[in-house]
Amino acid sequence: MISSKGLSVSGISKNFQSGGRTVQALDDISLSLPAGKVGVLLGPSGCGKSTLLRMVAGLEKPSEGEITLNGSAVEHPGRDRGMVFQDYTSFPWLSVRDNVAYGLKINGDSSALNEGTVDHFIRAVGLESFAEAYPHQLSGGMRQRVAIARTLANYPQLLLMDEPFGALDPETRWQMQDLLLNVVRKERTTVLAVSHDIEEALYLGDVVFFLSRHPGRLKETIYTDFKTNLPANDREAFLQSNDYRRLELHIRRLMRDEGRDAA
Ligand code: ADP
Ligand code: MG
């Protein structure tokens, strides 16, 4: 594809100074994620996934290399990128509606048009009956849906997620994965998510970037084209497909080679 649309990470290395010595967290990572696709950074704990995501967010500076989003260099945090963290980060004293509207308000935009945007995303995450509720009245999965709605209401060009469903029970986690895929497909949002869970990575990702440890290097890029032949939102068909089983085993071996049990 001849297009500058999407995310491009090129020759990224990152060193940290820690206790008088230099720790190399990432070594020469290059990857590209076309606009509208879901990419997942997968790898063992400590391989640098969060560090890479934070650099794409503009929260951390690379030691070497360049990151561009839709052709523009990433140097600072910006409204073109929205981040959802694992820990619930919305405001307990604001209702669901006001939490979702919050980002629009701080961006100086509280027009009628944006009232519509707020309602649109509250509906998109299935919280219309809870719009006036407060976070403490919601389950963990619902709170995470508020965070997703709030972030998407700003129409980021890139949605960044760091293990967003890691704190949820398995059933809720599956529901959230489907909900996320439905929303981002509909809105055509580009997503870069971090996971250390193989099933989650293959289920969410159009492309999975597998990083090795010490320092983090891009070991393999795995495309999940096989899913286009499977029914959408059908976890069983996905888990039972030969392609999934083959890739899951393959990545499990990559994880094991990294010296960690992937289980
Ligand atoms: P992951 O998210 O894959 O578990 P991280 O990106 O959190 O990995 O960390 C990658 C490596 O970089 C680890 O060895 C970690 O200790 C180190 N690291 C991360 N942030 C810092 C920091 N601010 N200062 C020093 N070392 C750091
Ligand atoms: Mg991390």
Side-chain angles (χ1 to χ4, degrees):
M1 189 169 46
I2 307 162
S3 167
S4 62
K5 288 281 179 195
L7 173 71
S8 162
V9 168
S10 127
I12 289 292
S13 296
K14 179 67 180 176
N15 300 319
F16 288 110
Q17 305 304 324
S18 175
R21 62 191 198 101
T22 302
V23 177
Q24 186 171 20
L26 292 167
D27 181 22
D28 196 17
I29 305 266
S30 295
L31 56 86
S32 62
L33 178 65
K37 297 287 181 193
V38 178
V40 178
L41 299 170
L42 174 68
S45 182
C47 72
K49 304 179 292 295
S50 295
T51 301
L52 184 54
L53 199 77
R54 288 171 58 77
M55 288 194 286
V56 174
L59 295 168
E60 197 101 61
K61 291 241 182 279
S63 304
E64 275 174 65
E66 196 191 30
I67 298 172
T68 63
L69 179 60
N70 298 329
S72 304
V74 166
E75 270 150 15
H76 313 281
R79 208 186 161 179
D80 57 342
R81 282 148 292 142
M83 185 106 152
V84 173
F85 297 91
Q86 179 176 323
D87 300 323
Y88 177 53
T89 47
S90 297
F91 302 112
W93 59 89
L94 295 180
S95 68
V96 167
R97 181 186 302 284
D98 289 341
N99 264 293
V100 174
Y102 180 80
L104 301 174
K105 287 193 179 128
I106 54 168
N107 286 304
D109 203 342
S110 54
S111 62
L113 186 67
N114 280 306
E115 288 293 307
T117 301
V118 170
D119 285 331
H120 171 79
F121 283 104
I122 288 175
R123 268 198 308 279
V125 299
L127 288 177
E128 54 273 49
S129 320
F130 295 89
E132 309 311 326
Y134 287 83
H136 74 271
Q137 299 171 301
L138 305 176
S139 67
M142 287 167 140
R143 291 202 292 268
Q144 201 56 304
R145 286 192 254 165
V146 176
I148 291 168
R150 192 183 57 169
T151 308
L152 288 178
N154 283 295
Y155 288 103
Q157 289 168 19
L158 179 64
L159 176 64
L160 300 169
M161 309 181 98
D162 196 348
E163 311 223 12
F165 310 136
L168 304 175
D169 62 83
E171 186 64 32
T172 309
R173 189 171 179 156
W174 289 339
Q175 287 168 4
M176 290 298 299
Q177 290 168 359
D178 282 325
L179 179 137
L180 176 75
L181 287 177
N182 289 338
V183 178
V184 300
R185 279 192 196 120
K186 195 150 165 275
E187 304 294 333
R188 299 176 197 282
T189 313
T190 314
V191 180
L192 184 64
V194 163
S195 181
H196 63 254
D197 184 87
I198 299 172
E199 179 189 320
E200 177 170 84
L202 290 171
Y203 195 71
L204 290 181
D206 296 308
V207 51
V208 175
F209 305 105
F210 185 87
L211 303 188
S212 64
R213 268 197 304 173
H214 294 320
R217 293 194 176 104
L218 180 60
K219 193 156 175 183
E220 208 166 308
T221 301
I222 296 150
Y223 296 90
T224 60
D225 298 336
F226 74 92
K227 291 190 291 188
T228 53
N229 300 320
L230 296 175
N233 294 0
D234 189 334
R235 173 93 40 182
E236 269 190 41
F238 166 80
L239 290 176
Q240 287 174 355
S241 69
N242 288 332
D243 290 301
Y244 169 73
R245 291 176 175 206
R246 184 178 49 78
L247 283 174
E248 198 261 356
L249 186 64
H250 174 65
I251 297 173
R252 199 171 279 279
R253 286 185 179 133
L254 293 178
M255 285 272 192
R256 193 190 51 201
D257 291 347
E258 294 306 312
R260 278 258 170 128
D261 191 348

